[in-house]
Amino acid sequence: MDCYTANWNPLGDSAFYRKYELYSMDWDLQEELRDCLVAAASYGGPIALLRNPWKKEKAASIRPVLEIYSASGMPLASMLWKSGPVVSLGWSAEEELLCVQEDGVVLVYGLHGDFRRHFSMGNEVLQNRVLDARIFHTEFGSGVAILTGAHRFTLSANVGDLKLRRMPEVPGLQSAPSCWTTLCQDRVAHVLLAVGPDLYLLDHAACSAVTLPGLAPGVSSFLQMAVSFTYRHLALFTDTGYIWMGTASLKEKLCEFNCNIRAPPKQMVWCSRPRSKERAVVVAWERRLMVVGDAPESIQFVLDEDSYLVPELDGVRIFSRSTHEFLHEVPVASEEIFKIASMAPGALLLEAQKEYEKESQKADEYLREIQELGQLTQAVQQCIEAAGHEHWPDMQKSLLRAASFGKCFLDRFPPDSFVRMCQDLRVLNAVRDYHIGIPLTYSQYKQLTIQVLLDRLVLRRLYPLAIQICEYLRLPEVQGVSRILAHWACYKVQQKDVSDEDVARAINQKLGDTPGVSYSDIAARAYGCGRTELAIKLLEYEPRSGEQVPLLLKMKRSKLALSKAIESGDTDLVFTVLLHLKNELNRGDFFMTLRNQPMALSLYRQFCKHQELETLKDLYNQDDNHQELGSFHIRASYAAEERIEGRVAALQTAADAFYKAKNEFAAKATEDQMRLLRLQRRLEDELGGQFLDLSLHDTVTTLILGGQNKRAEQLARDFRIPDKRLWWLKLTALAHLEDWEELEKFSKSKKSPIGYLPFVEICMKQHNKYEAKKYASRVGPEQKVKALLLVGDVAQAADVAIEHRNEAEMSLVLSHCTGATDGATADKIQRARAQAQKNLEGRQRRKPKPREKAGLPGTSGFPSLTPLGLCLKRAKDSAW
């Protein structure tokens, strides 16, 4: 225990801080860190160094070198800087390197030095140049704040969605502020700057002077500012050697410390645990590191080398040319277990487990002591929690063994926390490895989440490790292995030294039909890298045509896209490709392409019928489709033409097309329509009224209604209307006019080809029973009953039905017998039906028995009759 706490340093009475080595850095730095622009990402992120910056006079003729390392010093990228002078470097939350140039242009690079994009901070920044810059993080993303040569501030709170905001001017500001920083309050980014003894807070609307509560007197300048990792607290270093610490709202003072050093520090950062009441600030000078808080004393370390501080969620990373260390407050669980003479349940359980391994009876004594206090569950939980905060695997194992030992004496201790901690520590130890170089703490890991950690492993192209973690944690494939394999495939297509066939084959063999993997996304990446043929090969593995087609169109492989769309059977997709082809190809090539795809041609015709009629006509002409061309001209004659001459001309064109198509029926029908149109125009001129666009039947009916019977009959003869149809038309028209006299004359003009039942029906439809009865008597026997029922003569209908001995007719009459008046008729029908049934049964009794087969004696002793003999017998019987 004493050895373990040797590097613990107390800060006051309630907190300990410890500093331990993460890595021994093997990077080969040719210069000191002070001579480089340095940027290190949080959460164990990479380190960027821009060697030989322009501020060095001796290096003015040497081209700078931008190098990126992992936190363990493993090189990730190195490149000559070919752009303009750089003022500041910083990492975004997505681990993209932001390089702010003197002209206000921000260049964005990936983890491996690959250029991503660039953006400008505005014309004003370009004109006045950049004096200083800060990269900061908000809940919206990573932002950039710029101080220009005109001593004005411009910032964007999210570089992913760039919206520049020019901050208000500070009154009387003639030189650069002594120090400044960005604050994030109420979801809005602010700038806090110091001008001599005065502090100003800039927001989007105004510049406000602020006063620090409880600040020691005599301050004439602020030399350094530091905002906590969560942007909740603020520290300021004054020229009197005092460090003021308070809330970021500048309304509450936490403490103030006199470090007795007036020289401005190189760096000042916060160092505190999440949700901890103890807060400390780490201040670094050339060869001294000081940890100060609300205690009267401080913790001081000697720096053997030029060092750089990286604030983290729960501590501070400190790296130099030779080492990379981590300074943080000792967690409560570790403090209670390992502090000297601790009697905490976790400490006793750890001792009990060690004694148990020694086979000592003291193990039982320690356990009894814990159980008597009822703190065994608390002891197990303390050991599990402390194991998570330990960096060294041996100490993790020791604490977890103690927790496992304690669980054996508990009946219902849930194993989830123990299992989860074992999994988390195994993942953390894997990524902390020197070759991986991501020194996450347990608190950082929980804040970062496993998904973000996997993304960072993918960014470092550590695909095997990421897949092993997914399989170990049993993550869903869509969130884990599938997503990582998709990233691997996107990286694979960038390897231009491998042939397209080999890359496509390797990707398909690795991915197969893995759920959640989109080959179209991988093909899009290949196309973005200039490998069109590889993209096409990858699209062959994409099962969803809806994903294939858009990319094929983007790659200008429209004909292949059309084939894929047709194979899919998705008409919307086919229409999309057709419209794209129409805009891309000339008219002739477009039509030739359609001719080779019958389904596409059919769909395009349907589209043209509603949207582009002229194009439809061109299609029919090109294909010599005279039948459809004739139909097109017929529709066009009514849709577009209003003049009768134009309509007749269009119909004539249609008739010619039908003749070419050898469809004589359609041609004759079209010619008849032309004759009808001319006749209708003549009728309008001679008789007035509306005849145009009426059908042949309606024209005849209109003539009859107008009293033009001879013209109607002549029209019927000209167009060969059958007599039955003409009689129906005239019957309907005369009944509509209620010209009963003319109707009666018409019925007697000659024998009706449609019978007389229609006359009865039409008269009854016009509610004229009197006229209907005239025709009921003339109706033929087969329809007599129906006619009599129509005019309401049920009794006579019953007599006719009985006379016909027709069961169906008698049933029909019975259905019309209602009330007492028809009771006698119903009885009469019932008696007739009963008599008919009795006669039927009598005939069945008199029916002779079936004879035996020809040539054999029948039942009466006589031989059976041959067919000829049967006929002779029937003739004889009928004669009798």
Side-chain angles (χ1 to χ4, degrees):
M1 293 283 189
D2 296 344
C3 180
Y4 179 77
T5 60
N7 63 343
W8 288 20
N9 297 278
L11 185 64
D13 298 329
S14 57
F16 291 89
Y17 283 79
R18 66 180 176 185
K19 181 163 67 79
Y20 57 84
E21 184 177 295
L22 297 173
Y23 303 107
S24 178
M25 306 291 278
D26 288 337
W27 53 5
D28 185 18
L29 296 184
Q30 301 299 323
E31 300 182 20
E32 294 291 338
L33 293 177
R34 71 172 71 92
D35 297 328
C36 301
L37 286 176
V38 183
S42 57
Y43 294 100
I47 302 169
L49 302 174
L50 185 58
R51 297 183 180 182
N52 299 323
W54 298 263
K55 63 182 181 181
K56 289 185 63 179
E57 296 179 0
K58 65 179 182 178
S61 60
I62 303 176
R63 301 188 72 175
V65 178
L66 176 63
E67 293 187 327
I68 301 176
Y69 297 90
S70 70
S72 61
M74 296 288 289
L76 298 177
S78 178
M79 55 180 287
L80 287 175
W81 188 258
K82 299 179 181 180
S83 190
V86 177
V87 176
S88 178
L89 299 177
W91 290 93
S92 71
E94 295 79 19
E95 290 194 331
E96 290 182 327
L97 181 61
L98 308 179
C99 306
V100 184
Q101 294 190 147
E102 195 177 43
D103 59 359
V105 175
V106 181
L107 305 178
V108 183
Y109 289 89
L111 197 65
H112 296 277
D114 52 307
F115 178 75
R116 299 287 178 84
R117 63 186 186 280
H118 75 281
F119 57 88
S120 174
M121 295 299 291
N123 291 328
E124 182 186 356
V125 177
L126 174 63
Q127 294 172 1
N128 297 303
R129 319 303 284 175
V130 177
L131 289 183
D132 197 5
R134 297 280 191 278
I135 311 298
F136 61 95
H137 305 287
T138 67
E139 56 187 298
F140 304 109
S142 301
V144 178
I146 298 290
L147 172 61
T148 68
H151 309 124
R152 298 291 299 272
F153 289 90
T154 299
L155 62 82
S156 173
N158 183 5
V159 297
D161 182 18
L162 192 67
K163 295 179 181 178
L164 298 178
R165 194 148 52 90
R166 188 167 181 259
M167 308 303 284
E169 186 176 1
V170 180
L173 184 61
Q174 301 297 326
S175 61
S178 57
C179 59
W180 65 280
T181 189
T182 54
L183 302 176
C184 296
Q185 300 175 3
D186 301 326
R187 301 167 63 92
V188 178
H190 302 261
V191 173
L192 179 68
L193 67 149
V195 181
D198 301 321
L199 292 174
Y200 296 94
L201 185 66
L202 307 181
D203 59 17
H204 65 282
C207 170
S208 307
V210 294
T211 303
L212 296 180
L215 179 65
V219 175
S220 60
S221 178
F222 294 93
L223 305 181
Q224 188 69 270
M225 294 182 183
V227 185
S228 66
F229 192 85
T230 58
Y231 287 87
R232 295 179 181 174
H233 301 97
L234 176 70
L236 294 96
F237 187 92
T238 68
D239 59 348
T240 59
Y242 278 84
I243 300 175
W244 182 92
M245 288 173 275
T247 60
S249 63
L250 305 174
K251 295 180 180 179
E252 181 184 351
K253 173 184 174 181
L254 299 176
C255 63
E256 195 171 26
F257 184 84
N258 184 6
C259 65
N260 296 317
I261 300 176
R262 298 195 174 190
K266 284 179 55 183
Q267 278 185 279
M268 182 170 68
V269 297
W270 282 82
C271 177
S272 59
R273 289 187 290 108
R275 298 179 294 278
S276 172
K277 295 182 179 179
E278 301 298 329
R279 299 177 182 88
V281 172
V282 180
V283 190
W285 287 270
E286 285 291 335
R287 289 293 182 264
R288 179 182 297 183
L289 189 73
M290 184 180 293
V291 183
V292 301
D294 57 358
E297 66 276 359
S298 64
I299 304 172
Q300 298 194 28
F301 299 94
V302 177
L303 299 177
D304 298 328
E305 298 177 292
D306 188 24
S307 302
Y308 188 85
L309 307 183
V310 185
E312 290 284 3
L313 175 69
D314 54 350
V316 178
R317 284 161 49 208
I318 308 165
F319 64 85
S320 63
R321 294 182 63 176
S322 59
T323 60
H324 195 160
E325 299 173 305
F326 186 65
L327 171 65
H328 73 127
E329 181 185 349
V330 177
V332 175
S334 299
E335 182 181 342
E336 290 183 349
I337 292 176
F338 293 110
K339 69 181 179 181
I340 299 174
S342 173
M343 296 298 292
L348 295 176
L349 181 59
L350 181 61
E351 290 298 325
Q353 192 275 332
K354 290 181 178 179
E355 294 298 331
Y356 176 76
E357 287 184 347
K358 297 176 183 177
E359 299 182 358
S360 171
Q361 64 180 4
K362 289 184 179 181
D364 182 60
E365 295 176 4
Y366 284 127
L367 277 175
R368 287 180 181 276
E369 184 175 352
I370 300 171
Q371 289 175 329
E372 287 174 1
L373 297 174
Q375 296 178 331
L376 186 55
T377 300
Q378 182 184 354
V380 174
Q381 292 173 341
Q382 278 186 348
C383 289
I384 294 174
E385 183 181 352
H389 295 293
E390 294 303 317
H391 182 76
W392 307 110
D394 291 341
M395 186 55 67
Q396 297 169 4
K397 293 177 182 178
S398 178
L399 290 165
L400 289 175
R401 277 196 295 266
S404 179
F405 178 69
K407 285 196 309 109
C408 296
F409 301 94
L410 292 172
D411 294 333
R412 296 182 178 179
F413 184 84
D416 296 347
S417 59
F418 180 83
V419 173
R420 195 180 308 114
M421 182 59 72
C422 291
Q423 292 176 336
D424 292 342
L425 287 177
R426 189 168 183 182
V427 171
L428 286 172
N429 291 333
V431 300
R432 288 170 181 168
D433 184 79
Y434 174 82
H435 297 91
I436 307 301
I438 306 179
L440 283 175
T441 64
Y442 180 76
S443 299
Q444 295 170 20
Y445 171 69
K446 285 301 180 183
Q447 180 71 19
L448 196 64
T449 72
I450 183 61
Q451 292 297 337
V452 179
L453 176 58
L454 291 173
D455 289 340
R456 298 197 169 190
L457 291 174
V458 167
L459 282 177
R460 288 161 174 78
R461 300 171 185 168
L462 300 171
Y463 307 107
L465 176 60
I467 291 175
Q468 288 176 358
I469 291 175
C470 292
E471 293 174 345
Y472 173 67
L473 297 179
R474 298 179 181 178
L475 297 178
E477 284 197 358
V478 176
Q479 301 175 9
V481 175
S482 298
R483 188 166 61 93
I484 294 168
L485 287 174
H487 282 289
W488 167 80
C490 291
Y491 166 67
K492 189 74 175 176
V493 299
Q494 301 175 33
Q495 298 178 352
K496 296 187 177 182
D497 56 334
V498 184
S499 66
D500 295 343
E501 293 78 6
D502 292 342
V503 172
R505 189 184 309 108
I507 290 175
N508 180 248
Q509 289 176 352
K510 181 71 70 175
L511 270 60
D513 296 328
T514 304
V517 174
S518 173
Y519 280 96
S520 61
D521 293 341
I522 304 169
R525 179 64 63 88
Y527 177 67
C529 297
R531 305 185 70 173
T532 305
E533 294 302 321
L534 174 58
I536 294 174
K537 292 180 183 297
L538 289 171
L539 282 177
E540 293 296 330
Y541 302 117
E542 175 60 59
R544 298 166 297 174
S545 299
E547 299 293 330
Q548 292 177 317
V549 170
L551 183 57
L552 288 171
L553 292 177
K554 186 178 179 181
M555 294 189 297
K556 300 188 183 304
R557 300 300 179 97
S558 305
K559 295 181 180 179
L560 181 58
L562 181 59
S563 300
K564 294 293 183 182
I566 292 172
E567 290 175 7
S568 71
D570 187 342
T571 55
D572 291 338
L573 201 58
V574 177
F575 276 128
T576 301
V577 180
L578 287 176
L579 294 178
H580 184 88
L581 277 171
K582 180 185 174 186
N583 296 327
E584 182 183 73
L585 304 176
N586 60 55
R587 198 177 186 88
D589 293 341
F590 178 57
F591 286 168
M592 289 301 296
T593 303
L594 291 180
R595 179 176 290 182
N596 296 328
Q597 298 287 355
M599 178 183 174
L601 179 58
S602 176
L603 288 173
Y604 188 65
R605 284 174 179 167
Q606 294 296 326
F607 168 78
C608 291
K609 284 181 181 179
H610 297 89
Q611 302 290 336
E612 300 179 3
L613 293 176
E614 288 301 318
T615 304
L616 182 63
K617 183 175 71 172
D618 294 341
L619 280 172
Y620 292 148
N621 278 322
Q622 184 175 9
D623 295 340
D624 293 332
N625 192 340
H626 299 294
Q627 177 66 35
E628 292 294 339
L629 194 59
S631 301
F632 171 83
H633 285 297
I634 287 178
R635 288 192 297 268
S637 69
Y638 285 91
E641 291 291 344
E642 295 182 358
R643 297 179 302 106
I644 186 67
E645 294 80 5
R647 188 176 298 177
V648 170
L651 289 174
Q652 183 61 57
T653 306
D656 295 340
F658 286 134
Y659 276 121
K660 292 179 181 178
K662 298 182 179 180
N663 188 343
E664 294 188 3
F665 171 79
K668 293 292 184 184
T670 306
E671 290 176 346
D672 288 343
Q673 180 64 23
M674 293 162 56
R675 285 197 300 136
L676 180 61
L677 283 175
R678 294 190 184 100
L679 178 61
Q680 288 173 339
R681 169 54 61 87
R682 190 165 64 251
L683 290 173
E684 286 188 355
D685 295 340
E686 296 176 359
L687 304 177
Q690 180 67 34
F691 285 94
L692 274 177
D693 293 330
L694 295 180
S695 66
L696 178 60
H697 289 177
D698 290 344
T699 305
V700 173
T701 302
T702 304
L703 287 172
I704 295 172
L705 292 174
Q708 302 292 329
N709 292 325
K710 292 184 178 180
R711 285 180 179 266
E713 292 174 0
Q714 182 61 41
L715 183 62
R717 286 193 295 270
D718 292 343
F719 286 91
R720 299 178 182 177
I721 298 178
D723 284 349
K724 287 186 177 182
R725 193 172 304 169
L726 180 61
W727 273 68
W728 266 108
L729 294 175
K730 196 166 185 178
L731 168 62
T732 306
L734 292 174
H736 180 74
L737 291 173
E738 297 186 355
D739 190 350
W740 307 116
E741 184 179 350
E742 184 64 30
L743 181 61
E744 187 174 0
K745 291 180 181 179
F746 173 62
S747 69
K748 294 179 179 179
S749 61
K750 64 177 182 178
K751 185 179 180 180
S752 172
I754 59 174
Y756 292 96
L757 181 62
F759 285 80
V760 178
E761 293 173 341
I762 291 294
C763 291
M764 291 305 298
K765 189 175 181 182
Q766 296 295 328
H767 309 291
N768 194 334
K769 185 185 290 188
Y770 175 76
E771 291 294 331
K773 287 183 176 181
K774 292 181 181 180
Y775 305 105
S777 60
R778 301 170 64 182
V779 175
E782 66 277 1
Q783 296 178 327
K784 191 79 169 182
V785 172
K786 186 175 181 182
L788 292 170
L789 290 175
L790 283 173
V791 299
D793 194 346
V794 180
Q796 189 176 353
D799 293 338
V800 174
I802 294 172
E803 181 182 349
H804 291 169
R805 299 181 182 180
N806 190 314
E807 178 66 25
E809 290 180 348
M810 286 189 284
S811 298
L812 180 62
V813 174
L814 274 177
S815 66
H816 283 74
C817 292
T818 57
T821 57
D822 296 328
T825 304
D827 291 342
K828 183 191 296 186
I829 293 177
Q830 292 292 0
R831 288 195 299 272
R833 294 176 71 178
Q835 183 63 38
Q837 182 67 25
K838 184 177 180 180
N839 294 338
L840 178 62
E841 291 176 356
R843 285 196 300 269
Q844 288 179 346
R845 283 196 298 270
R846 292 194 300 271
K847 187 177 180 180
K849 296 180 181 180
R851 295 193 173 95
E852 298 179 2
K853 294 182 180 180
L856 296 176
T859 56
S860 60
F862 296 97
S864 301
L865 294 176
T866 62
L868 179 59
L870 183 60
C871 292
L872 292 173
K873 183 178 184 303
R874 285 179 180 171
K876 182 178 180 181
D877 291 341
S878 62
W880 278 107

